[in-house]
Amino acid sequence: WGLTQSEQVRVWNDLSGDEGRRRTFGTDGTEYNSKDLYEPEDLVRDALTDLSLEIDGLSPKQSSALKKALEISPDYVMSRNFCLKFLRAEQFDARLAAVRMALHFEEKLSLFGEEKLVREILLSDLNKDDMECLKSGYLQVLRELDFGNRKVIFYYHAVSGCYKHRENLCRSVWYVMNTISTSEDVQKLGIANVVYNLGGFPEDGMDYEKSRRIARLFKAIPVRICSFYPCIDTKAWAVVVETFSVMISMYLRFRLRVIKGDHEWIMLKLKAIGIPSEALPVTDDSKLLVEDHLEWIENLKKKEDLEPEPPRKRSRAERDNNTETLHELLASASSLERGNRNRNPAYSLQ
């Protein structure tokens, strides 16, 4: 494959989950467990500085949405916690983190508009069709972690046939991925993807433009995908996976492993590689289960309802309109004052 020794080790760590189980020691001899991987402060500090420099070095075309976000709220974009998401997703490669951040805001601007560009996306930001797509359960976060202590994201039938418009699916994927990205465990350890393509092929065929959009989103979200397991049982699905593999990044292609067979064999194979197959939301005859997923959504809704609503950013038109209104009020007040002075000479002496 032309990978260096260190790159091969990194791929193996991602596939096996070794990074999440390895004991790590700091310079002071302190042992850090798998859910608190050691990040020396000097490494973090230098990476944050380098990230800022790399952002400045991006081309105007590449960084237009990012620069717009910086103009609106530099505190949001350059906050330590937000920047660390992207640095961890790229294992502290500042150049790659800057590129990912630029694409992140480009996709966010396209999907949600300028008003929501510099705040977190909530369930209330999704429209009716978005919510129907999300509630379909074709994209779920498993309750159990894999052998490397990582969250597992489950996709049913390559998330086909669960949306009215492609944007509904993209916004749903965005919401789920950015929701889990708030966890430091997810940021440091990454996630595992399982795509369950058993139980029939979509009647309307495969929407490959949808696949291209999802592949692009994977490059924009601040989450590192460590492993990707498409599970298939027919040649038709094999063609889909082969086509999708051309759309994804080389990084992800090295971490993609196809599992072929019937449901029973797939479950055994997933368990053997550390995926909690018993937690997959499918029956033995490959029917989708959504009860746990709907409960997950409801819990998120309750949590968001308790949090204060994010400040609403006014559109440019609203700002311009308010400015014009203010000018009119000032002119009216000035005219009224002149009228009072003309009618009452003593007014000017007050």
Side-chain angles (χ1 to χ4, degrees):
W1 288 351
L3 295 177
T4 64
Q5 182 65 32
S6 61
E7 289 171 336
Q8 291 180 40
V9 170
R10 188 171 291 183
V11 170
W12 170 252
N13 285 340
D14 285 345
L15 289 171
S16 65
D18 277 356
E19 184 179 33
R21 299 191 305 277
R22 187 184 302 122
R23 292 185 303 167
T24 306
F25 294 88
T27 54
D28 59 354
T30 304
E31 181 179 349
Y32 294 82
N33 62 32
S34 63
K35 294 202 173 186
D36 189 18
L37 294 181
Y38 182 52
E39 292 175 351
E41 182 55 35
D42 57 342
L43 166 70
V44 174
R45 184 176 59 251
D46 291 346
L48 289 170
T49 300
D50 291 343
L51 176 60
S52 180
L53 294 174
E54 291 292 346
I55 290 174
D56 291 340
L58 294 173
S59 68
K61 181 179 179 181
Q62 186 180 23
S63 61
S64 59
L66 172 55
K67 295 300 172 63
K68 183 186 291 288
L70 281 167
E71 290 175 4
I72 299 171
S73 179
D75 291 341
Y76 174 86
V77 178
M78 299 308 296
S79 69
R80 176 188 173 96
N81 289 342
F82 187 75
C83 289
L84 274 175
K85 284 185 181 184
F86 293 89
L87 286 167
R88 287 165 175 162
E90 296 293 355
Q91 298 181 302
F92 285 88
D93 185 314
R95 184 184 66 81
L96 294 179
V99 172
R100 184 180 288 261
M101 186 182 287
L103 185 56
H104 174 87
F105 281 106
E106 183 180 331
E107 288 295 310
K108 189 175 185 180
L109 181 62
S110 172
L111 290 172
F112 298 100
E114 185 176 331
E115 183 180 328
K116 302 179 180 70
L117 189 60
V118 290
R119 68 167 176 81
E120 297 306 307
I121 300 301
L122 306 175
L123 278 173
S124 56
D125 295 315
L126 304 182
N127 63 34
K128 180 181 178 182
D129 292 334
D130 297 339
M131 286 301 300
E132 287 184 4
C133 176
L134 180 62
K135 289 182 177 181
S136 70
Y138 275 55
L139 171 66
Q140 301 188 33
V141 181
L142 299 193
R143 288 175 176 261
E144 296 187 28
L145 306 176
D146 77 347
F147 192 49
N149 294 319
R150 300 173 298 201
K151 282 192 179 297
V152 180
I153 312 302
F154 172 86
Y155 307 78
Y156 186 69
H157 283 187
V159 287
S160 296
C162 64
Y163 54 91
K164 187 174 182 179
H165 304 289
R166 295 187 188 109
E167 286 71 20
N168 304 138
L169 176 61
C170 290
R171 283 191 284 265
S172 297
V173 172
W174 182 280
Y175 175 78
V176 171
M177 291 299 187
N178 280 275
T179 295
I180 66 173
S181 76
T182 59
S183 163
E184 274 200 28
D185 291 345
V186 169
Q187 295 173 26
K188 293 180 177 181
L189 299 175
I191 61 173
N193 277 0
V194 174
V195 186
Y196 186 91
N197 293 340
L198 281 70
F201 196 79
E203 294 181 1
D204 297 331
M206 184 54 54
D207 179 3
Y208 285 109
E209 176 58 21
K210 171 269 301 178
S211 301
R212 187 193 67 80
R213 293 284 300 275
I214 296 301
R216 183 175 172 83
L217 279 181
F218 285 159
K219 300 173 186 176
I221 56 174
V223 174
R224 181 164 59 97
I225 300 175
C226 297
S227 55
F228 204 111
Y229 298 111
C231 305
I232 61 175
D233 61 351
T234 64
K235 290 183 179 180
W237 279 119
V239 172
V240 171
V241 172
E242 185 176 348
T243 304
F244 184 70
S245 68
V246 178
M247 301 176 182
I248 58 179
S249 64
M250 186 66 71
Y251 166 91
L252 193 53
R253 204 173 304 160
F254 285 133
R255 290 156 176 79
L256 187 146
R257 297 291 185 273
V258 180
I259 304 176
K260 302 178 182 178
D262 59 17
H263 174 82
E264 184 178 0
W265 174 253
I266 294 292
M267 294 297 104
L268 289 172
K269 192 70 173 180
L270 286 173
K271 192 167 187 177
I273 58 178
I275 300 295
S277 56
E278 67 280 357
L280 262 61
V282 287
T283 64
D284 291 342
D285 56 352
S286 302
K287 300 300 182 183
L288 182 64
L289 301 173
V290 298
E291 288 78 10
D292 287 349
H293 177 64
L294 293 178
E295 183 180 344
W296 180 77
I297 293 174
E298 184 60 30
N299 289 336
L300 284 174
K301 185 177 184 303
K302 290 178 181 178
K303 180 181 178 182
E304 291 180 3
D305 287 344
L306 294 175
E307 296 175 349
E309 185 176 345
R312 177 177 174 271
K313 178 187 174 297
R314 295 177 300 168
S315 67
R316 188 183 303 276
E318 289 176 314
R319 295 198 301 272
D320 292 344
N321 183 61
N322 286 347
T323 300
E324 292 176 1
T325 301
L326 179 60
H327 288 163
E328 291 174 358
L329 289 172
L330 290 173
S332 177
S334 178
S335 176
L336 181 61
E337 183 176 359
R338 286 195 301 270
N340 287 335
R341 285 175 177 173
N342 291 335
R343 289 192 298 270
N344 184 4
Y347 179 83
S348 60
L349 301 177
Q350 294 179 359

